[in-house]
Amino acid sequence: MDKVLSFHQGRLPLLVSMPHAGLKLTPAVRDGLVPAARSLPDTDWHIPRLYDFVRGMGASVVAAEYSRFVIDLNRPEDDQPLYVGATTGLFPATLFDGEPLFEHGKVPSAAERAGYLESIWRPYHDTLRNELARLKAEFGYALLWDAHSIRSHVPHLFDGKLPDFNLGTFNGASCDAELAERLKAVCAGALGYTHVLNGRFKGGHITRHYGDPAQDIHAVQLELAQSTYMEEVEPFTYREDLAEPTQGVLRGLLEEVLGWAQRRYN
């Protein structure tokens, strides 16, 4: 049976989602990619490794196996745009630099893409929904952390250099305002790093769809600049010297999420 995701069930009311970490390709996608896309440059590289401490903390973890070049798990199934201006869709047609993703005439067929929606997108979202429901039933609330990363310079998508930590709460709609402020404070206390709340990245479909503070489900997206933990050019090498201090900040953020919720609900 094709493995489309990995899932670990934890013991805390926290689920960490990694929708863009996958590297697998279907034959139709693999055979159609332009040469510049074959190294999968727009991947959220090494995110499972960077967050490898969260299982030890007791969090649940779900991570994609398939590349976003096959189907983007952080986009709605109706493919409505999430951002004004340059963006990518449920079935990406371009690289982050705006260049075509597929060779002319080699885009996967509508039938193939319908299959990706059913066999890859839907199981991931079923897992998210079911685990959040389980956490809420057990604890009375649920916490969702959507873990992403991106090159710090992508002129087609944003101007200049991206801040290191880009927190997104869909302009306050996906989590409690106090929690967002506490996360900003953690980032502000992380010497040598920059941060922003609801800047260029406000949270994608996962954050917007599942975050519901009125129902005690709090969702936060973190878009992390890849310069904080890896080389941003091929072969996209993981840099332990950069990653270790960044992991310290990530741990602090997740501990703040858990601590805030415990104080709020217990």
Side-chain angles (χ1 to χ4, degrees):
M1 185 175 179
D2 188 17
K3 183 181 180 184
V4 300
L5 60 87
S6 62
F7 175 64
H8 166 79
Q9 189 173 96
R11 53 180 173 77
L12 295 176
L14 171 64
L15 172 61
V16 178
S17 163
M18 306 175 184
H20 291 158
L23 298 174
K24 291 172 68 173
L25 299 172
T26 65
V29 172
R30 181 195 64 226
D31 295 344
L33 292 177
V34 299
R38 293 171 190 166
S39 64
L40 309 183
D42 298 342
T43 300
D44 289 10
W45 287 102
H46 310 297
I47 284 293
R49 181 176 178 181
L50 187 67
Y51 281 86
D52 63 5
F53 62 90
V54 297
R55 290 193 184 195
M57 290 178 65
S60 297
V61 182
V62 58
E65 292 286 329
Y66 274 89
S67 168
R68 68 187 303 163
F69 288 171
V70 176
I71 188 169
D72 192 330
L73 302 177
N74 201 28
R75 297 294 183 271
E77 62 180 307
D78 63 6
D79 203 17
Q80 289 297 305
L82 296 178
Y83 294 99
V84 175
T87 186
T88 55
L90 179 66
F91 300 106
T94 63
L95 291 160
F96 282 173
D97 64 7
E99 294 301 312
L101 182 60
F102 292 100
E103 300 275 9
H104 181 69
K106 293 187 177 181
V107 175
S109 69
E112 286 167 325
R113 286 179 160 176
Y116 304 159
L117 182 66
E118 291 302 318
S119 64
I120 301 172
W121 189 96
R122 207 166 301 287
Y124 194 89
H125 285 271
D126 287 346
T127 302
L128 283 174
R129 184 179 60 256
N130 292 339
E131 181 62 2
L132 290 171
R134 184 190 73 83
L135 294 177
K136 187 179 177 186
E138 180 174 346
F139 297 97
Y141 62 95
L143 307 166
L144 174 61
W145 187 267
D146 206 37
H148 296 260
S149 73
I150 192 171
R151 295 192 305 276
S152 59
H153 289 89
V154 185
H156 184 64
L157 297 183
F158 52 84
D159 296 330
K161 184 179 187 295
L162 196 68
D164 298 320
F165 288 83
N166 299 265
L167 298 164
T169 66
F170 193 29
N171 291 327
S174 71
C175 86
D176 187 274
E178 182 188 3
L179 174 56
E181 288 302 312
R182 288 183 174 275
L183 294 176
K184 281 177 60 181
V186 172
C187 290
L191 298 180
Y193 294 97
T194 56
H195 71 279
V196 68
L197 174 65
N198 293 316
R200 173 60 178 85
F201 297 99
K202 303 177 188 299
H205 174 65
I206 290 171
T207 306
R208 303 179 191 197
H209 182 72
Y210 295 100
D212 189 352
Q215 297 299 317
D216 302 310
I217 300 175
H218 303 272
V220 177
Q221 176 180 292
L222 176 63
E223 191 78 61
L224 184 66
Q226 291 178 342
S227 56
T228 63
Y229 71 95
M230 60 173 277
E231 296 292 343
E232 297 186 302
V233 296
E234 287 188 61
F236 310 115
T237 304
Y238 188 84
R239 289 272 304 275
E240 193 68 55
D241 59 318
L242 297 175
E244 185 175 359
T246 299
Q247 284 179 313
V249 183
L250 294 173
R251 181 185 290 273
L253 288 166
L254 294 175
E255 288 175 346
E256 185 62 45
V257 171
L258 290 163
W260 171 85
Q262 186 173 39
R263 292 188 298 271
R264 167 74 178 270
Y265 292 103
N266 297 333

